[in-house]
Amino acid sequence: MKITKPRGTRDFLPEDTKKRRYVESILRQVVKNWGFSEVITPTFENLELFTLKSGEGIIGELYNFKDKGDREMTLRPELTAPVMRMYVNEMQAHQQPLKLYYFENCFRYERPQKGRFREFWQFGVELIGSRKMDADAEVIALATEMLKTVGIKGDLNVNNLGVIRHLLSVLESEEQSKIMRLVDKKDYEGLDTFLEEINAPAVLRQKLIELISLTGNDAITKARDILGDLPEIDDFQELLTMLDAYGVEYTINFGIARGLDYYTGTVFEIYAEGLGAQNQVCGGGSYQLIQLFGGGDVPSTGFGLGFDRIMEVCELETPDDVPVVIIAKDSTRLDAIKAANKLREHMPVYNDLMKRNFKAQLSYANNMGAKHVLIIGEKEVEASKVMLKDMSSGEQELLTIDEVIQKLTDR
C-alpha cells in the first residue's frame, strides 16, 4: 500500500530545502543585526491560548485534539500568542524592551489552495515593552529590510488604528469590533448595511467612509480636515517622520484595519509583486495581548512574514556547495576515507559508497556537477599525494591534502 503525504502539506526535496535554508539564513542574519534574539515555543499549546486571543470561532480552523489526560490542545496556528504566553510565564522580570524573533512551522485546518497550506512556516518578530513610535518604526523598517535583503519588492501600507477607533468610540465595543472586521475585509457593502442596522449617526457614517478611503501622501492632511487635530494623528505623523529617516518607502492607507480587537495603534501590511490575489507577505502592528494572558499592561509591536509566499517569488541564487568527489580504486578505499575525513573539516566531500569502477565514478562526478575530483590510486598513495582534477578545464595537479585544502578554500 502506498502512503501519501497528508493533504495541505509538502515534501521539500534537496534543491528546495537548500534554497529555503539559504533564504532563512539571510533573514536570520538580518534580525540578529538589528539586535533581536531567537525564541522557540512548543509545537502544541493549550487550546484556550488561541480562543482567548481570537474567540471560539477559530476552533474550526485548528488542528485541535484532546490528549491522553483529556486536556484540550491544539497545534499552533500562529506564534504571537505563544510568545506572549512565554513572556508572561518566563520573562516578565527581563529588562525591556525585549526584542525577540522566531521561525517555526504552524498549522491551520483550512482548504488548501495556491499559496495556502495546512502546514506553513512563519518568520516573526515581537518587540515587547515600548509604547513609543520609535519601536513601531524600527519593527516596520526591519520588515522592509528583511524582504529587500532576499530580493522581494514589497508595497508597504501603513495606518494608525487609533484614528479610526477615536471616531468609533461613541459606539458599543462589539459594534466597533464588527466594523473593524468589515473594514479589514474591505466589505464596504456589508459595512454600509451594518451601519444602518445599528443606526449609526449620519455624521459618523460619512466621516468613517471618507476616512477609510484615504490613501497617499496627503492622507494625513485630509484626515485632519475630517476629524480635526487628534493625538492619534500626531502619533501617526511621528511614525511616518521616523520611517522617512529609515529611508522606508510607504503608502498611507487609512483602510488598513487588521480586523482584530487586540491591535491598538500602528498597523501595516506589505504586498509583494508576482503573487496574484494572495499577495500579502507581511502583516503586523502594535497590540495588547499580555494582559489578556495574565500579565501586566505591557505593549508589544510585531509582525509575521509568510515564508512560503516569500519562497514563491524569491529569485535568489543559492551558493554553489557541490562537493568535491573522491575517486579511488578498491585497493585505496581506506586512503580515500582518511582523505575525506581531513577535507570535510573545510568543505563538502563525496566518497563513493557503491564500489563503482574508476570510469563509473568519474561519470557520476560529472553528472552531479562536481567542479573538482580527487583521484587516489596506488601511485598517489605511494607519493603521499592526491591528483586534483578540474572538471571544467581537465587540468590535473599532484598535490598534498594540505595543498588541496589551501587551493580550494582560497577560491
Side-chain angles (χ1 to χ4, degrees), residues 102 208-209 308 315 335 369 406:
Y102 45 80
L208 175 60
I209 298 302
D308 299 291
E315 297 181 351
D335 299 283
Q406 183 174 357

Side-chain angles (χ1 to χ4, degrees), residues 90-118:
E90 314 280 354
M91 305 183 76
Q92 294 193 67
H94 285 56
Q95 182 172 310
Q96 295 179 358
L98 282 167
K99 298 170 68 172
L100 310 174
Y101 81 92
Y102 45 80
F103 178 78
E104 300 291 345
N105 56 343
C106 300
F107 307 85
R108 281 187 183 266
Y109 191 82
E110 58 183 357
R111 184 172 64 85
Q113 53 186 294
K114 181 176 172 55
R116 296 180 74 89
F117 304 94
R118 288 179 172 175

Side-chain angles (χ1 to χ4, degrees), residues 70-272:
D70 210 33
R71 292 171 286 256
E72 291 281 0
M73 298 289 177
T74 185
L75 299 180
R76 60 189 175 212
E78 49 90 13
L79 284 147
T80 297
V83 171
M84 295 302 105
R85 190 266 312 145
M86 180 190 67
Y87 169 82
V88 172
N89 293 167
E90 314 280 354
M91 305 183 76
Q92 294 193 67
H94 285 56
Q95 182 172 310
Q96 295 179 358
L98 282 167
K99 298 170 68 172
L100 310 174
Y101 81 92
Y102 45 80
F103 178 78
E104 300 291 345
N105 56 343
C106 300
F107 307 85
R108 281 187 183 266
Y109 191 82
E110 58 183 357
R111 184 172 64 85
Q113 53 186 294
K114 181 176 172 55
R116 296 180 74 89
F117 304 94
R118 288 179 172 175
E119 182 185 26
F120 57 96
W121 274 258
Q122 189 176 75
F123 202 122
V125 158
E126 313 293 347
L127 196 157
I128 301 171
S130 175
R131 299 182 191 277
K132 307 300 183 184
M133 288 298 107
D134 306 62
D136 294 8
E138 176 167 305
V139 166
I140 294 172
L142 171 57
T144 62
E145 180 66 16
M146 291 172 74
L147 291 173
K148 184 176 73 174
T149 306
V150 295
I152 305 296
K153 183 172 175 54
D155 177 19
L156 167 66
N157 281 237
V158 61
N159 187 19
N160 189 310
L161 292 186
V163 180
I164 190 172
R165 290 193 188 281
H166 179 92
L167 177 61
L168 300 178
S169 61
V170 297
L171 302 177
E172 298 291 333
S173 60
E174 289 184 7
E175 295 171 341
Q176 294 181 40
S177 297
K178 183 162 184 180
I179 288 171
M180 297 299 280
R181 288 194 293 272
L182 290 167
V183 172
D184 181 43
K185 294 177 181 177
K186 296 180 172 43
D187 182 2
Y188 302 126
E189 186 176 334
L191 175 62
D192 193 53
T193 300
F194 182 67
L195 292 172
E196 283 188 23
E197 286 178 6
I198 64 174
N199 294 316
V203 173
L204 183 148
R205 291 167 61 180
Q206 180 184 347
K207 288 183 176 181
L208 175 60
I209 298 302
E210 289 179 2
L211 180 64
I212 63 176
S213 67
L214 295 180
T215 61
N217 295 335
D218 60 351
I220 289 282
T221 301
K222 289 183 177 178
R224 291 191 194 278
D225 292 339
I226 296 169
L227 300 175
D229 288 325
L230 298 177
E232 293 84 357
I233 296 179
D234 292 339
D235 287 342
F236 194 13
Q237 181 61 70
E238 182 184 358
L239 173 74
L240 299 177
T241 301
M242 289 186 181
L243 292 180
D244 290 337
Y246 276 107
V248 171
E249 294 183 7
Y250 55 83
T251 298
I252 302 167
N253 186 345
F254 280 98
I256 299 293
R258 301 296 294 161
L260 297 167
D261 291 342
Y262 53 82
Y263 281 104
T264 54
T266 298
V267 288
F268 65 97
E269 295 177 351
I270 303 178
Y271 312 106

Side-chain angles (χ1 to χ4, degrees), residues 23-77:
V23 174
E24 175 193 338
S25 69
I26 293 173
L27 295 177
R28 285 180 178 276
Q29 192 58 55
V30 174
V31 292
K32 288 176 186 176
N33 289 350
W34 286 58
F36 285 74
S37 301
E38 185 176 13
V39 292
I40 300 174
T41 62
T43 304
F44 60 94
E45 297 267 5
N46 289 299
L47 177 64
E48 186 182 17
L49 180 68
F50 300 101
T51 56
L52 270 175
K53 173 176 176 276
S54 303
E56 296 289 331
I58 196 177
I59 293 177
E61 302 175 19
L62 302 181
Y63 272 94
N64 60 301
F65 58 94
K66 285 190 176 182
D67 68 9
K68 293 183 179 181
D70 210 33
R71 292 171 286 256
E72 291 281 0
M73 298 289 177
T74 185
L75 299 180
R76 60 189 175 212

